[in-house]
Each structure stands twice: as structure tokens, then as C-alpha cells.
Amino acid sequence: MSAIDTLPPLRAVIASHGLSARKALGQNFLLDLNLTAKIARVAGDLAGSDVLEVGPGPGGLTRGLLAEGARRVVAVEKDARCLPALAEIAEAYPGRLEVIHGDALDLDWAAHLTPPIRIVANLPYNVGTELLVRWLTPPVWPPRWSTMTLMFQREVAERIVATPGSKAYGRLAILAQWRSTARIAMTLPPEAFTPPPKVRSAVVHLEALDAPRYPADPQVLSRIVAAAFNQRRKMLRAALKAQAPDIEDRLRAAGIDPTARAEEISLEAFCALARELA
Ligand code: SAM
């Protein structure tokens, strides 16, 4: 019996349901229920929140979220083999777990949850960044989620929280930090997972701000940041040449040295440039 509920230990669940990990689905499972409860606690006070979980797998994190008091958990899993194990969890927590069999990339998730909504997931690494970018760029802000607590490869986590001047600083840092606060809450060695991945992992916690830190049009900001970092070794006057015929003047008007490179430019300055180019 585990420390957090009366369901069988996860190794037994995996054995009884034949859940051998599949690499193509990014399956690296967390089997330590103390660890999954700890991740659930990073998400904050779950009692008054609905939680979206992507990729529950055998349900270790799901069990942590429910044991930590989540009002409701909606868990989206692509692998049908996991459904019977998840059904057992739903039975142990009546009315609090809805399992959706499908691809998180195709799901209109907000329709299944009531705010406040927290997203908590040990993400499959092959779709993690794509999902994060979608969650960070909804059609309207504030988004439907209030916090996100997400496991990534450590290198991706570092890109999310990176500051100017570092190698990891780029599009992901700007996207994440423009309209939310982002911090690395935990780092995990490969051995925390079954099977262990090749790389270290980290849990990033993001909280949505009510309004962007600095005004800017999302599309313009996204376009210039993509262009600037696509050629991050070039001076901005060259990397952004296609953005405006008088790009040097626009850069100067935004307080940016046209010979600077993207990785030296603060979020505030990128927003100023987006306003100049809007
Ligand atoms: N949450 C479990 C844990 O912590 O042990 C499993 C995490 S494992 C890293 C990722 C999970 O995401 C797997 O169960 C996998 O089947 C599922 N998955 C992969 N791609 C998916 C997708 N596009 N939509 C939904 N689930 C997906």
C-alpha cells in the first residue's frame, strides 16, 4: 500500500496492466508516490481548483494530485493501455477524475474544466514544448489556466527561465516571461523515472499574470523575437532587416543598439521594439 492512498503500488499497477514503457510516447514513469505528491504540492493549493493533466500514464502524478485535494482532475492520455489503471483511480476518488482517451494536441481542454484551472503534467518530451507554446499563446489574455506546473528536460526548463546574456535565452524565455512568472521548482535525476531518460529533468512552475509585463502586440512580438533569435549570432540590424525598411531607426527609437545581438536584449526592449513596429 502506498503512503498516499489505498491503491496498489505503481510497480504492481504496471505489472498487472502490462504497461511496458514505449519510447515513441515519451513514457518515463514516476513510480515514487512521495515524489508525485511533492510535485502536486508545487502546483499550490489544489482544493479549489480543477487540474488538467496531460499524459497520466499509470497514474502516479494523478494520484498525487487527488491525494493533495484537487477538486477535479481531467487527465488526457493517448495510450489506451493505461485506461484500466486510470479507471481504478477514478473509482477510488468518485466524481473527481475524468479520463479522456486522446491526443492532448487535439483536445479543446478548457471545455472540460471550470476555473480556476491549474495545468500539472509530467509531459511527454516529444510534445512538451509545443503544448507549452500553445498554452502561453491563447487568443485572449489572461488565459484559461492560472498556473502550470510542468516537467521538462532540464535544458528546456532552463530556456523557459533564462535571462538576457545567457545561451539559453531565446523565444521560449520571452514567451514565458512576458505574461507569466516562471521558476524552476525542482530538478530530478534520470533515476527518478522508470525507465530513466538520458537527461536530467526539471519541474517548472508558471503563474499567469493578469496583464502582460509590458504592452506589445502578441503577433508582432512573436514575429520579431522569432526573427531575432533565428539568426542569433547576427547583429539585430541584419537579423531584423526584413521587418522594416528603416529597421536601424526603429531599433534606435526602441532604445536598442542596432549592432547588438538578440541574446543581449531584454524583454522590455523587445516589447518597445514591437510597439515601434506595430
Ligand atoms: N504522468 C505519468 C508519470 O508521471 O508517471 C506518465 C508521464 S510520461 C513522461 C508521458 C505520458 O504522456 C505517457 O503516459 C504517454 O502515453 C502520454 N502521452 C504521450 N503523448 C501524448 C499526447 N499527445 N497526448 C496525451 N498523452 C500523451
Side-chain angles (χ1 to χ4, degrees):
M1 204 187 292
S2 81
I4 63 165
D5 58 34
T6 55
L7 290 157
L10 284 157
R11 281 189 197 285
V13 172
I14 282 180
S16 64
H17 293 285
L19 300 179
S20 52
R22 295 205 175 138
K23 209 172 169 186
L25 285 167
Q27 292 184 335
N28 300 101
F29 300 134
L30 290 169
L31 303 186
D32 177 351
L33 290 165
N34 291 313
L35 183 58
T36 60
K38 198 169 159 195
I39 296 169
R41 285 196 291 275
V42 170
D45 181 12
L46 298 176
S49 302
D50 278 10
V51 177
L52 171 70
E53 186 191 0
V54 171
L61 184 53
T62 320
R63 286 164 64 173
L65 292 165
L66 289 162
E68 290 300 317
R71 182 173 65 193
R72 259 182 88 239
V73 176
V74 173
V76 192
E77 176 55 61
K78 195 170 172 180
D79 186 353
R81 296 179 310 154
C82 299
L83 301 181
L86 295 167
E88 287 170 9
I89 304 173
E91 214 169 290
Y93 291 94
R96 289 176 57 203
L97 173 60
E98 180 187 348
V99 179
I100 299 175
H101 178 214
D103 189 326
L105 291 167
D106 299 333
L107 181 77
D108 176 15
W109 56 272
H112 294 265
L113 299 123
T114 308
I117 298 169
R118 297 178 188 270
I119 303 178
V120 186
N122 173 13
L123 289 172
Y125 290 141
N126 45 355
V127 291
T129 311
E130 158 110 38
L131 284 169
L132 174 69
V133 169
R134 287 192 193 188
W135 291 329
L136 289 171
T137 54
V140 287
W141 197 270
R144 299 292 300 269
W145 54 269
S146 54
T147 65
M148 300 199 280
T149 306
L150 305 171
M151 182 88 69
F152 291 100
Q153 287 170 254
R154 182 152 179 191
E155 176 247 324
V156 175
E158 277 165 3
R159 281 165 49 205
I160 296 167
V161 303
T163 48
S166 67
K167 272 217 174 86
Y169 184 59
R171 183 170 162 254
L172 217 45
I174 303 270
L175 264 188
Q177 297 171 37
W178 179 40
R179 298 189 288 194
S180 46
T181 58
R183 67 181 169 89
I184 292 183
M186 281 167 75
T187 56
L188 289 92
E191 312 81 73
F193 301 83
T194 304
K198 289 206 174 69
V199 291
R200 291 178 65 81
S201 302
V203 174
V204 179
H205 182 72
L206 299 110
E207 287 192 44
L209 298 172
D210 289 337
R213 250 174 243 282
Y214 311 103
D217 178 90
Q219 262 98 43
V220 179
L221 180 64
S222 170
R223 197 180 70 225
I224 58 169
V225 167
F229 285 102
N230 275 347
Q231 303 188 67
R232 59 189 298 145
R233 280 163 202 277
K234 283 199 175 166
M235 292 177 188
L236 285 170
R237 66 179 177 204
L240 298 178
K241 206 163 73 184
Q243 303 299 317
D246 54 348
I247 191 65
E248 289 211 25
D249 293 342
R250 303 295 190 99
L251 283 161
R252 276 194 207 95
I256 299 172
D257 176 354
T259 66
R261 289 170 175 80
E263 67 182 36
E264 301 162 50
I265 306 305
S266 68
L267 169 59
E268 186 174 9
F270 269 121
C271 291
L273 181 61
R275 292 195 299 276
E276 277 298 320
L277 293 172

